[in-house]
Structures are given as structure tokens and as C-alpha cells.
Amino acid sequence: MSADATGDAYVEFDRVQKSYDGEVLVVKDLNLAMPKGEFLTMLGPSGSGKTTCLMMLAGFETATNGEIRLGGEEINDIPPHKRGIGMVFQNYALFPHMTVNENLSFPLEVRGMGKDERESKVKRALDMVQMGEFGNRRPAQLSGGQQQRIALARALVFDPSLVLMDEPLGALDKQLREHMQYEIKHLHESLGITVVYVTHDQSEALTMSDRVAVFNDGVIKQLAAPSDLYERPENSFVAQFIGENNKLAGTVRALEGDIATIELADGGTCRALAVNCGDVGSRTLISIRPERVIIGAGGDENAATAEVMELIYLGDHIRCRLRVHGNDDFVVKVPNAGDESKELTVGQETTISWHTRDARALDPL
Amino acid sequence: MAAQPAPGGLTTVDGRPLKQALAEAQARAKRRAFVLVLPLLAFILVSFVLPIGQLLKRSVYNPAFSENMPALVQWFRENPRGSAPDESAYAALASDLKLIRKNKTAGIVGTRVNYELPGTRSLFTKSARKARKLEPPYREALLKVDRKWGDPLLWQVMRSASSAYTTSFYLAALDRKRNADGEIVRVEKERQVYIKLFKRTLLLSALITVTTLLLGFPVAHLLATLPLRYSNMLMIFVLLPFWTSLLVRTTSWIVLLQSQGVVNDLLVATGILDADHRIQMIYNQTGTIVAMTHILLPFMILPLYSVMRPIDPSYVRAARSLGASSWTAFRRIYLPQTIPGIGAGALLVFILAVGYYITPALVGGSTGQLISNLIAFHMQKSLNWSLAAALAALLLGGVLILYWLYDRLVGIDNLKLG
Ligand SMILES: Nc1ncnc2c1ncn2[C@@H]1O[C@H](COP(=O)(O)OP(=O)(O)OP(=O)(O)O)[C@@H](O)[C@H]1O
Ligand SMILES: [Mg+2]
């Protein structure tokens, strides 16, 4: 972690819990510390408590237990309008009865800013998102992407140092989404703001963030930089949730240093990095990324026979579904090298292999 | 559009104009739709357009005099306004009196004149009875029957009644009349009732509209924001009044508010009031306001609710996150979005209140009566239907003007009734 509870943390959740009905905890013991200027993404399946966390930070929900701190000060009892946090909503929440200019000038007005200063600030914010000519339109007269930009400009116009975004790109098509991802990232860098971003699109999380917090069921499963998250998942949920993943179930038979020897369900054995597999005798799931599997006997200790079940042509590569150690869903990506002699056919038996460092023994799901 | 070469517009592939082709294609569907709504159209025509037309006509058209007094009508036509009744006028009058005696229409004619000059009905019936014995010179003869026949005001009234089309009912409805010279003047102070009642009706209706808005707004907001199981319950309470008879509801207010009623008893029992100073809360304006506010409340709540329901809570949240206090967020963001509902509810309640009859009649006493009670009085008691029609037409006109004003100020497209 780049910041801890006592250090230079700007946003801090300290053992925060939240329950709406007194029966179910939708956020369980959340600890999170963000330094100033970080872009942190909360990623997770629907209902995992991401929005709830964001709402607690913004002040629209109260934490049932624990402390939330902003810039070192506890903000649990500060009403939302005094927190000075910018927020972008999933449906944009642009005020329909106001023009774009009025929307943007609203946060400045409630802060008692003079007319001239307001106008120049609104103009600057609109130019920042390249919407300078649209000031006199109503939100209903704008396209989804344009509304999104206005919402962004409105959340930034009063110079908040922390901005929260709850699935701001969820309603846009893929191309526009990628473009806006780039723009948001760019604004984050040029303005030096701290951003908490919520999404359930993993590629969005991986491309934009400094760090990603993977949520499941009210718990942060892993908080790490995107590359760590993909390459070094700490548990089966993260391995499964981020990117594609092959699972092999088994039981730990021996542990030597950080290498575990695992007996698989069909009696075969496999060596893997002992990341999160418990002691000898405990059940485990081995995770191997599809692109790390080698067709043929190129890997070191781990080789297995595989039967080709299905081939899907995807242009740059071919997706092969194999049966490996009794698992029908083992996927390998074979680069399209144009070498016909190496081409696989359905029903064919072949050998595959992988390096021990690419196999991670994790907790059973 | 710019790419269209043909000046005649678009055509189909076989060369027919597109508009024509479309119209033909849709004609069948339109005919069918028309046949389906035909019964409704007929119903509206019979039950709405015709009665209102009748009413409007009756307010300016009353042939009771002109049909029964032909000779006098003839004389009025030949002699311009201002000419004093001469012997020929009295001769015409005498012949008409004989005629109405024969036709037994003296009462009808007398009633018509009596509308504008009280106390003249008997003059006609009495004189008609003696008409057979009238001999020339008629002037003396008639003046001997009753001196009132010489009254210039009576002649002025008969002149105005001699035309079936008249504005005198509208004048009466506005507390005006014509004097002997034909000028429009106000009626005597003690007989000026209608303007006062119009004013009171408008004022009380406005007051009731405001109270229903004040009471209904929070309820509608609760309805729109509570979780479904609570809001359903609350909705039932809002709709409950619709399931009980209007009379029951109104009389229950009597039970509650009368001077020996529940509220006064409670106040006395708790020592807040002393037994000799019970508050008069019913049979006056207070009664009318309280009971009508209660009865009209759902008409305010429902349009408000239908506007508030779809307002996303994230608007207010967005405003709060942008730095607005909850009051500012309400005033600047939430309230403006409910305007269509406020407009619709207010218009609905106001229009209903302006024409309300039964509740003020039951709990209004004398000071809580509205204009509709007088309309009913003229329909049922005094049988002056033309005056009732004129009053109703004025009311209708007022409501239409209001509707027009609303359209100019808020825009009728912004109205949302549900
Ligand atoms: N106002 C509320 N009252 C009761 N329960 C709620 C409320 N809001 C959310 N929940 C529950 O809390 C849990 C977490 O919800 P939350 O909205 O934080 O999920 P999320 O991670 O944002 O999901 P999504 O990706 O679908 O937006 C869910 O089980 C949800 O049903
Ligand atoms: Mg959410």
C-alpha cells in the first residue's frame, strides 16, 4: 500500500461497517487509505457495496460503525454540502430545468461567488471538456456523451480536491466510453485531483487507475495496482473476476518454501506458487492465465495431456478449449502464427505445459 | 429534404404522391378509430355541449315577454327609446292585457318583469283580470287600475323585456340595472349580493387552493419517496375519502366542529376553553374552508404525486454534493421540477372549489355560501333560470380566463394530471 492509516492518507476508511436494515452488513470492516492525487477504482460485481461506500464518503449515507476521514479530519457528522466533494452520478443528474451554464454556475452561486467570477469559471470548465458552445442548451438537448462531459465539468467547476464518480460511463457506447476514459484520466493528471471511481467494467478499472480495490460482498478482496491485480491475484475471487482464468482444484500435498505440490482431482500432480493455499492437506484452487500456457512441452515441471474440445477463431489468436486433468473448461490462447503444421483439430490429443511461477495456488472458492 | 428533385414532393415507386399514399393507407384505420369514439362523441355532445349551449343561450334569451305581448312589442319597435308612453302605448298595453288574460300567461309575463322590477308580478295578474272592462281612453283607465302603470321605470323595464335577447340578466348578475333613462347603474346597496359573492368565491377558492397545496405537498412527497409498502398504505389513506359519500364526509365535519361537537368538547374538557366560549367553527366561512380543503385534498395530492414520483433522488443529492444546503437544494432543484404538478393540482382544486355546491350549502351557514349556492337558489327556488344561467356563464368565463392566464404564465403543456 502506498499510504497507511497514520501517514499521508487523504481519504481514509477506518474499520467502516454499514447496514441498511440492521440484519445484513453490506459493507464489512472496510479499511482503505488513499494518498492525495491518487486515482482509485472500486471494482466489483453488482451489489457488492461500491455505491454504498461512495455514498458514505459523499455523506448521503451514514456509516453504521467506524470512521471516515478526509484530510485527516473525521467527516462522519459533516453534512454533504459542507464536504466540498465533487460527484458525478451514473445518470449524470443534470438539473433538467436549468441550462448548461446555470447547471455549472449553481455550485458557484451557492458558494456566494460574484457574477463575473462565476462566468469566467463556468467558461473555463466548459472549455476544459470541449463543450464551450453548448452553454445555453438544456440537458435534454444534449447527447449522452455531451451530458456526461457537462456532468464532469459541473463536478469540477468549484475546484474540489476529491471527486467521486459512480459508473459515470455506464450509459455510453464502447467507443465513446474509451474516449471519455482517456479524457477523465487526462483531467485527473492535469488537475492533480484525487478520484474515487466506481465501475464494474474491469478493463476500465485496469486502464484508468493507479490502484484498484476489488469488492465482493462488502469486503475488499484485494487492493493493488492494475498489473499486480492481474498478474498476482491473492485469491480465487480476484483471479476469477479480473481477466480470464483457468482453475484446477486439488489438495496440497507438500510445501517447500513458496512452492506447493498439489494433488489434482484426477490423481495428477502439479507444482504451483503457494500464495494463499493454507497448510498441507487443505483444499486449493490453482489459477493459470490462458496466455501463460504453452502448447507442447516447453514449460518446466508442469506438463499435462490435453484433448481439444473446441476451437474458436478470433483473428489474431485462436481460443482452444481443452480437457485438462478432467477439467473441460481449460482455455488456451494460441497466437495465429500461420504455421499449418502446428494447427490443432478438435478431438486431437496434445501436450501442454506451464511454468510453476505462472501457476498460483489460491483459496478454494 | 434538399435532395428531393420533384417539386411535388416524394412519390412512391409506382409514382403516386407519398402523402396521398400514406393518407389512403391510414384512412381505414382512422375511420375505424372514429367509429369507436363515436358513442363518446355523441355522449359528450348530448351531455355537455348541448346543456352548456342551452345555458349560455338562456342567459341572454328570454322570450316570456316578447312572445306574449305582441302589441306592446310592436309599439316599442315603432317608438324609439326615450319616447314617453302615449295613448297608443296604453292601447297596446290594454290589448295585450286582454290577450294574456285569454291565454292565461299573465303570470309568466309578470314574472319576467318582476325579475327586474320587484313587486310587479301582481300588477300584471291584477290588471289582466280587469282587462275586459278597460275602455278608452286607456291611459286613464289603466292608471285607475293601478298608479304604477305611469311609472317610467316600469316602461323602461318593459321596453328592455320586449326584446327576447337581453343583457339585463348579466347586468343583474353583476349587481347592475338600467334606470328609467336606460343608463346602467348599480342596484341599491342592500341588494348588491352577486359581486360580493363572486369575490368571496374567488377568495375562498384561492385560500382553499393554498391550504390544500400546503397540506398536500408534504404528503405527496412522502408518497413519492417512502418505500413501496408504506407508500401504498398512505395512498389508501389519501384515496379513502373517494370511497365514502360526500355527504357522510361533510356531515362528519359537522359532528366534529359544531359548538357541542368533538373538538369544542375536547377543548373545554382540557380546560383550554371555558364552556361559555365555545368556538364557532361551522356554519360560517371556517366550516366551508375546513370541509372543502379536506374534500379537495386528493385532487392536489394526486397530480403532485405523479410529478414527484419520477423525480430522481440523485438531483437533490447532486445539488447537495455541489454545496447546496438541504433548503437550497429543495428550493432551487426540487421545487422547480414539481411546478407542473403544483400547477395542475392548483388549477384542478381551484376550478372545483369555484363551482362547489353541496359542502358550502351544508356547512357554510350564511357567511360561507359561494356563488354556486346562489345559482342553485335561482334554479330551484326563485326559478329565475336566466339569471342562474348568467351567473353560471360568468363563472365559466372566469374559469376560462384563469385557464388562459395559466397557459400564458406556466404553459398548458406543463400541466401534468397523472
Ligand atoms: N437504500 C438501501 N436500502 C437497503 N438496502 C440497500 C440500499 N442501497 C443498497 N442496498 C443494498 O446494499 C447492497 C450494496 O448495494 P450497492 O448499491 O452499494 O451495490 P453496488 O456495488 O453499487 O452495485 P452496482 O454495481 O449494482 O451499482 C445491495 O445488496 C443492496 O441491495
Ligand atoms: Mg452502484
Side-chain angles (χ1 to χ4, degrees):
Chain A
M1 261 187 226
S2 52
D4 57 41
T6 53
D8 54 351
Y10 180 55
V11 178
E12 226 176 323
F13 286 85
D14 189 1
R15 298 201 309 192
V16 171
Q17 293 182 307
K18 171 74 187 175
S19 171
Y20 284 105
D21 50 10
E23 285 166 19
V24 185
L25 278 175
V26 295
V27 173
K28 300 166 188 156
D29 195 23
L30 182 76
N31 292 287
L32 178 69
M34 284 175 73
K36 220 176 165 99
E38 189 178 45
F39 195 118
L40 182 132
T41 298
M42 295 177 174
L43 175 67
S46 195
S48 55
K50 310 178 296 285
T51 300
T52 305
C53 285
L54 216 59
M55 289 301 160
M56 287 193 289
L57 187 50
F60 298 121
E61 295 290 352
T62 49
T64 312
N65 185 38
E67 258 185 36
I68 302 172
R69 285 187 285 270
L70 183 62
E73 274 177 62
E74 187 192 332
I75 55 168
N76 288 38
D77 297 326
I78 297 181
H81 65 282
K82 296 207 175 126
R83 297 193 182 189
I85 299 176
M87 184 143 187
V88 181
F89 291 80
Q90 178 166 14
N91 60 356
Y92 315 138
L94 296 176
F95 308 136
H97 58 293
M98 295 184 178
T99 63
V100 166
N101 276 337
E102 288 163 346
N103 261 285
L104 261 70
S105 123
F106 181 81
L108 308 176
E109 261 171 63
V110 299
R111 284 175 171 72
M113 199 175 274
K115 192 161 184 291
D116 295 339
E117 198 181 353
R118 280 202 321 253
E119 275 171 12
S120 73
K121 278 200 164 228
V122 167
K123 188 167 174 345
R124 188 140 40 90
L126 280 180
D127 288 341
M128 182 173 74
V129 293
Q130 291 122 45
M131 291 287 292
E133 297 106 75
F134 294 87
N136 291 320
R137 297 248 193 120
R138 299 252 168 174
Q141 299 166 321
L142 299 174
S143 74
Q146 290 168 336
Q147 292 184 25
Q148 213 286 326
R149 282 161 200 254
I150 301 301
L152 196 59
R154 190 180 65 178
L156 295 172
V157 69
F158 60 99
D159 301 321
S161 52
L162 174 62
V163 179
L164 315 182
M165 306 190 191
D166 191 357
E167 301 192 34
L169 308 181
L172 304 183
D173 65 50
K174 187 166 179 294
Q175 207 170 359
L176 196 56
R177 195 151 75 202
E178 278 165 10
H179 183 72
M180 288 306 299
Q181 284 172 9
Y182 165 78
E183 291 202 4
I184 290 174
K185 190 70 195 145
H186 182 78
L187 281 174
H188 164 244
E189 274 156 16
S190 63
L191 297 176
I193 47 176
T194 312
V195 178
V196 181
Y197 192 96
V198 166
T199 181
H200 49 223
D201 177 344
Q202 49 156 308
S203 74
E204 195 165 294
L206 296 183
T207 50
M208 297 177 78
S209 325
D210 296 328
R211 283 192 303 161
V212 179
V214 181
F215 273 69
N216 186 37
D217 206 10
V219 177
I220 296 186
K221 284 295 199 177
Q222 189 171 356
L223 174 62
S227 58
D228 281 347
L229 218 50
Y230 186 78
E231 314 232 354
R232 285 177 280 283
E234 278 168 10
N235 48 56
S236 294
F237 177 82
V238 175
Q240 193 64 21
F241 194 74
I242 309 279
E244 244 187 314
N245 182 44
N246 291 314
K247 311 185 287 266
L248 291 174
T251 312
V252 180
R253 284 288 168 239
L255 279 171
E256 312 146 29
D258 59 353
I259 305 290
T261 306
I262 292 147
E263 184 188 336
L264 299 172
D266 69 340
T269 57
C270 171
R271 283 159 63 77
L273 279 180
V275 179
N276 188 7
C277 62
D279 288 330
V280 173
S282 52
R283 298 199 49 77
T284 182
L285 265 185
I286 305 171
S287 143
I288 309 160
R289 296 286 182 202
E291 64 275 14
R292 299 292 167 89
V293 178
I294 304 153
I295 302 276
D300 43 15
E301 307 83 0
N302 299 303
T305 50
E307 183 189 343
V308 179
M309 309 288 290
E310 190 181 7
L311 293 168
I312 299 170
Y313 180 78
L314 285 168
D316 59 339
H317 70 269
I318 294 153
R319 227 178 106 91
C320 311
R321 192 161 63 79
L322 309 172
R323 186 207 301 273
V324 178
H325 288 302
N327 177 358
D328 278 352
D329 265 332
F330 202 97
V331 172
V332 178
K333 289 177 182 168
V334 184
N336 187 354
D339 185 350
E340 303 215 343
S341 64
K342 280 194 185 167
E343 215 163 72
L344 297 169
T345 52
V346 173
Q348 177 191 350
E349 288 237 331
T350 181
T351 310
I352 58 167
S353 58
W354 57 85
H355 297 293
T356 299
R357 62 167 193 275
D358 290 332
R360 297 172 68 81
L362 306 173
D363 54 323
L365 269 181
Chain B
M1 290 295 148
Q4 273 316 303
L10 292 168
T11 57
T12 60
V13 274
D14 47 352
R16 282 190 308 155
L18 194 60
K19 282 227 172 77
Q20 187 195 334
L22 187 67
E24 279 165 24
Q26 288 177 343
R28 217 181 115 82
K30 275 191 190 152
R31 264 201 305 275
R32 230 185 31 202
F34 183 72
V35 169
L36 279 176
V37 297
L38 208 57
L40 180 66
L41 271 180
F43 179 76
I44 288 179
L45 195 73
V46 170
S47 67
F48 193 69
V49 178
L50 288 184
I52 288 188
Q54 273 288 318
L55 175 113
L56 290 177
K57 183 175 168 204
R58 211 177 265 279
S59 68
V60 293
Y61 179 79
N62 191 322
F65 191 93
S66 57
E67 273 177 1
N68 295 310
M69 307 277 279
L72 208 50
V73 168
Q74 177 75 16
W75 185 86
F76 280 126
R77 199 170 302 142
E78 282 159 6
N79 295 273
R81 186 179 289 272
S83 35
D86 53 12
E87 181 57 24
S88 64
Y90 283 97
L93 176 59
S95 92
D96 281 345
L97 284 174
K98 283 173 194 157
L99 186 68
I100 57 176
R101 154 95 186 163
K102 199 176 91 204
N103 294 345
K104 299 196 171 66
T105 49
I108 298 176
V109 174
T111 305
R112 168 69 185 88
V113 177
N114 194 62
Y115 288 156
E116 290 173 56
L117 197 62
T120 44
R121 189 174 185 276
S122 59
L123 175 66
F124 277 84
T125 48
K126 185 176 75 179
S127 307
R129 230 178 294 126
K130 299 178 180 168
R132 237 177 326 158
K133 290 185 208 128
L134 290 174
E135 299 284 343
Y138 289 113
R139 191 179 136 81
E140 267 96 286
L142 277 162
L143 283 182
K144 226 169 77 195
V145 173
D146 199 311
R147 294 210 52 76
K148 281 195 201 146
W149 286 119
D151 183 359
L153 188 57
L154 173 65
W155 282 89
Q156 164 58 36
V157 169
M158 287 197 297
R159 175 182 284 279
S160 92
S162 70
S163 148
Y165 290 94
T166 173
T167 55
S168 55
F169 295 110
Y170 280 99
L171 290 179
L174 292 169
D175 290 338
R176 302 290 197 280
K177 63 174 183 182
R178 284 182 198 279
N179 64 10
D181 302 328
E183 291 160 349
I184 297 172
V185 292
R186 302 200 69 164
V187 299
E188 305 77 42
K189 248 225 149 44
E190 67 277 8
R191 298 188 53 215
Q192 296 178 0
V193 282
Y194 302 115
I195 296 223
K196 199 178 88 191
L197 260 170
F198 270 119
K199 276 191 194 151
R200 183 198 287 165
T201 303
L202 294 183
L203 202 75
L204 285 194
S205 300
L207 201 65
I208 289 163
T209 308
V210 171
T211 45
T212 50
L213 178 61
L214 291 181
L215 294 174
F217 197 94
V219 177
H221 180 71
L222 266 185
L223 268 175
T225 48
L226 275 183
L228 210 58
R229 62 200 154 114
Y230 300 116
S231 70
N232 276 344
M233 195 69 191
L234 191 58
M235 186 55 118
I236 288 174
F237 280 118
V238 170
L239 293 179
L240 206 60
F242 283 134
W243 304 342
T244 31
S245 141
L246 189 68
L247 273 174
V248 172
R249 274 181 283 157
T250 307
T251 33
S252 64
W253 278 113
I254 301 181
V255 172
L256 280 174
L257 297 182
Q258 63 192 352
S259 46
Q260 301 299 322
V262 177
V263 174
N264 266 319
D265 282 352
L266 263 179
L267 288 177
V268 170
T270 50
I272 297 172
L273 271 188
D274 129 40
D276 308 333
H277 295 90
R278 288 168 175 262
I279 311 172
Q280 184 65 36
M281 285 179 289
I282 202 135
Y283 306 126
N284 56 16
Q285 291 191 5
T286 317
T288 301
I289 293 170
V290 169
M292 280 181 62
T293 299
H294 170 235
I295 283 161
L296 295 176
L297 201 52
F299 295 99
M300 180 61 87
I301 292 177
L302 292 178
L304 275 178
Y305 166 74
S306 81
V307 167
M308 286 173 176
R309 180 105 230 178
I311 296 180
D312 198 305
S314 67
Y315 289 126
V316 168
R317 288 188 163 179
R320 301 269 279 143
S321 81
L322 293 171
S325 64
S326 46
W327 166 242
T328 310
F330 170 78
R331 194 173 49 85
R332 298 276 315 270
I333 306 303
Y334 192 75
L335 196 59
Q337 295 189 57
T338 62
I339 293 276
I342 295 179
L347 204 63
L348 201 60
V349 167
F350 188 83
I351 288 176
L352 284 172
V354 158
Y356 230 74
Y357 162 67
I358 184 86
T359 305
L362 287 175
V363 301
S366 62
T367 58
Q369 298 291 305
L370 301 183
I371 196 74
S372 48
N373 300 109
L374 263 188
I375 295 178
F377 169 78
H378 285 305
M379 296 291 291
Q380 295 162 354
K381 298 272 166 54
S382 82
L383 298 183
N384 188 351
W385 285 17
S386 287
L387 182 55
L391 288 169
L394 284 175
L395 202 57
L396 180 66
V399 168
L400 286 179
I401 288 175
L402 259 170
Y403 189 76
W404 174 78
L405 265 180
Y406 180 88
D407 187 32
R408 293 302 299 273
L409 296 178
V410 188
I412 220 67
D413 310 340
N414 278 333
L415 203 66
K416 198 152 184 279
L417 286 172

